[in-house]
């Protein structure tokens, strides 16, 4: 939590721009706000708060060098650089500065970390554990009450559609197209995309919608999935804790971070491993560039390497 407002009025203007016009996610907005506050605090302390057009690449490099000396992770430093790049680019656009000082700032190299995912065998085991068997559910997995029903549906949606946590909690009932077997998702930057769903998942959505109306007094209007106790809109921590707890209980050891995003990675990796077109996966995930999607091909290559090492006599 910030203890004070950003130190330069231009920062407030930029933050309003990314929040209201660009519609950055709440997570990115908070991170950029903290990064810019930290940078302008540094400028005020070390250089007496220079004017915008007097901020140079030397100021920025000095700040970044200090962060690296504090053992900040390269990914964190790169995010701060992204915040500054966006800020100064907007300042140029407004005509408040003539050129951005970021052109002479180099980001530290970051080792490529492949997304963690659950392999198909492990996912099948989870499918078997959470499925209904002859009309009876395994109470140790998902309880038969509304809470268990909600948890099961959250898990199904994350894996079978690859949507982000933020997209899931904002889903509305009207975004489910029963005729075309699809859901319309509002992603980053308010970009819409259509994701196909199976008849089985559609049936689960319809059963859940009917049940929440029967059992909850006043569930949040239009919201697809609600908190099973209060009927209010879900919040991120609730979903995160549910998924993390579920994956922990099932001792999924192939991943280190047991978060909802792992199910998105698993969705994309399984599509890639089974021959799906990379451009189609890009559209399903809502990526703005193909580079973000291509990381999943590296997971496929790693799988091929494992097969080669285990099966080839000369490996």
């Amino acid at each position: 939590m910030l203890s004070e407002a950003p130190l330069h009025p231009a920062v407030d203007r930029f933050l309003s721009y990314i929040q209201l016009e660009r519609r950055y996610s709440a997570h990115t907005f908070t991170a950029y706000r903290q990064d810019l506050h930290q940078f302008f605090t540094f400028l005020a302390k070390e250089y007496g708060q220079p004017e915008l057009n007097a901020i140079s690449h030397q100021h920025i490099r000095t700040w970044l060098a200090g962060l690296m000396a504090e053992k900040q992770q390269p990914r964190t430093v790169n995010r701060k650089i992204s915040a500054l790049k966006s800020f100064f680019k907007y300042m140029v656009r407004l005509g408040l500065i003539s050129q951005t000082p970021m052109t002479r700032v180099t980001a530290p190299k970051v080792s490529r970390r492949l997304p963690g995912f659950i392999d198909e065998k492990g996912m099948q085991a989870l499918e078997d554990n959470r499925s209904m068997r002859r009309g009876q559910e395994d109470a140790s997995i998902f309880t038969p009450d509304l809470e268990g029903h909600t948890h099961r549906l959250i898990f199904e949606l994350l894996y079978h559609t690859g949507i982000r946590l933020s997209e899931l909690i904002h889903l509305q009932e009207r975004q489910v197209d029963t005729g075309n077997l699809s859901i319309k998702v509002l992603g980053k930057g308010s970009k819409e995309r259509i994701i196909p769903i199976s008849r089985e998942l559609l049936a689960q959505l319809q059963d859940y919608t009917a049940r929440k109306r029967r059992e909850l007094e006043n569930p949040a209007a239009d919201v697809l999935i609600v908190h099973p106790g209060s009927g209010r809109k879900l919040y991120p921590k609730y979903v995160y804790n549910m998924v993390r707890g579920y994956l922990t209980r099932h001792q999924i050891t192939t991943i280190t971070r047991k978060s909802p995003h792992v199910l998105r990675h698993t969705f994309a990796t399984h599509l890639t491993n089974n021959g799906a077109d990379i451009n189609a996966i890009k559209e399903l995930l809502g990526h703005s560039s193909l580079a973000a999607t291509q990381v999943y091909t590296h997971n496929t290559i790693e799988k091929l390497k494992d097969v080669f090492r285990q099966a080839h006599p000369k490996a």
Side-chain angles (χ1 to χ4, degrees):
M1 183 66 66
L2 297 178
S3 59
E4 57 182 306
L7 301 179
H8 197 288
V11 175
D12 283 325
R13 191 168 177 180
F14 170 73
L15 292 174
S16 295
Y17 164 70
I18 65 172
Q19 183 178 42
L20 302 177
E21 294 186 39
R22 294 298 303 278
R23 295 186 179 276
Y24 280 24
S25 69
H27 176 77
T28 301
F29 173 82
T30 300
Y32 276 27
R33 183 180 61 179
Q34 292 173 338
D35 295 339
L36 290 169
H37 183 271
Q38 184 183 22
F39 174 65
F40 278 95
T41 299
F42 164 81
L43 287 181
K45 180 180 178 181
E46 300 295 331
Y47 301 102
Q49 193 62 59
E51 293 296 324
L52 279 178
N53 56 13
I55 299 174
S56 71
H57 64 278
Q58 286 102 337
H59 294 130
I60 298 166
R61 286 178 177 176
T62 302
W63 179 55
L64 296 176
L67 295 176
M68 297 299 287
E70 294 171 0
K71 306 298 183 182
Q72 292 272 351
Q73 292 296 318
R75 289 181 183 275
T76 301
V77 174
N78 280 343
R79 190 202 66 214
K80 296 178 186 296
I81 290 174
S82 294
L84 289 180
K85 282 183 176 179
S86 297
F87 171 74
F88 284 113
K89 182 179 179 180
Y90 185 60
M91 294 301 102
V92 172
R93 176 180 166 186
L94 294 179
L96 297 178
I97 59 176
S98 59
Q99 61 182 8
T100 171
M102 299 303 296
T103 55
R104 300 179 65 180
V105 175
T106 303
K109 291 185 177 181
V110 179
S111 58
R112 179 178 288 273
R113 183 177 61 188
L114 297 181
F117 69 96
I118 305 168
D119 61 26
E120 292 186 47
K121 183 178 179 180
M123 204 66 211
Q124 186 59 54
L126 290 176
E127 291 274 358
D128 293 341
N129 283 335
R130 71 170 182 274
S131 63
M132 296 179 65
R133 299 173 185 270
R134 298 179 182 177
Q136 294 184 340
E137 294 179 347
D138 183 346
S140 67
I141 307 303
F142 289 125
T143 56
D145 56 12
L146 181 60
E147 181 180 59
H149 197 164
T150 303
H151 289 180
R152 183 176 69 242
L153 185 57
I154 290 172
F155 199 98
E156 297 283 355
L157 273 169
L158 290 171
Y159 171 58
H160 287 277
T161 67
I163 59 177
R164 302 177 178 93
L165 169 58
S166 60
E167 295 167 346
L168 178 136
I169 64 178
H170 288 102
L171 275 179
Q172 297 186 351
E173 291 182 12
R174 61 181 175 82
Q175 291 173 249
V176 180
D177 188 334
T178 58
N180 291 317
L181 287 175
S182 63
I183 58 173
K184 181 184 290 185
V185 177
L186 191 64
K188 291 184 177 181
S190 297
K191 293 180 180 178
E192 289 186 349
R193 68 185 189 277
I194 305 296
I195 303 177
I197 59 174
S198 65
R199 292 189 181 278
E200 180 183 357
L201 182 55
L202 174 62
Q204 291 183 43
L205 287 168
Q206 292 173 323
D207 289 345
Y208 170 80
T209 300
R211 184 174 184 178
K212 74 177 181 182
R213 288 175 177 157
R214 288 196 311 268
E215 299 187 21
L216 295 174
E217 189 171 342
N218 289 303
D222 298 327
V223 178
L224 181 59
I225 305 179
V226 299
H227 190 287
S230 66
R232 296 177 182 174
K233 186 177 181 179
L234 292 173
Y235 53 91
K237 194 67 174 178
Y238 179 88
V239 178
Y240 180 90
N241 287 339
M242 186 280 291
V243 173
R244 184 176 184 275
Y246 180 74
L247 294 178
T248 299
R249 286 196 301 275
H250 283 78
Q251 299 179 343
I252 302 299
T253 58
T254 56
I255 52 176
T256 54
R257 294 190 62 188
K258 298 176 175 64
S259 69
H261 216 66
V262 166
L263 298 176
R264 176 173 164 86
H265 292 323
T266 301
F267 165 83
T269 303
H270 289 182
L271 286 176
T272 305
N273 288 347
N274 286 287
D277 178 74
I278 191 71
N279 285 291
I281 298 173
K282 169 182 172 292
E283 295 302 318
L284 289 171
L285 294 174
H287 284 161
S288 57
S289 69
L290 193 60
T293 314
Q294 286 173 331
V295 67
Y296 296 105
T297 65
H298 292 280
N299 277 332
T300 302
I301 291 169
E302 290 304 312
K303 179 181 178 181
L304 293 174
K305 286 180 180 177
D306 287 340
V307 171
F308 174 77
R309 283 192 290 264
Q310 294 174 16
H312 197 283
K314 299 294 185 180

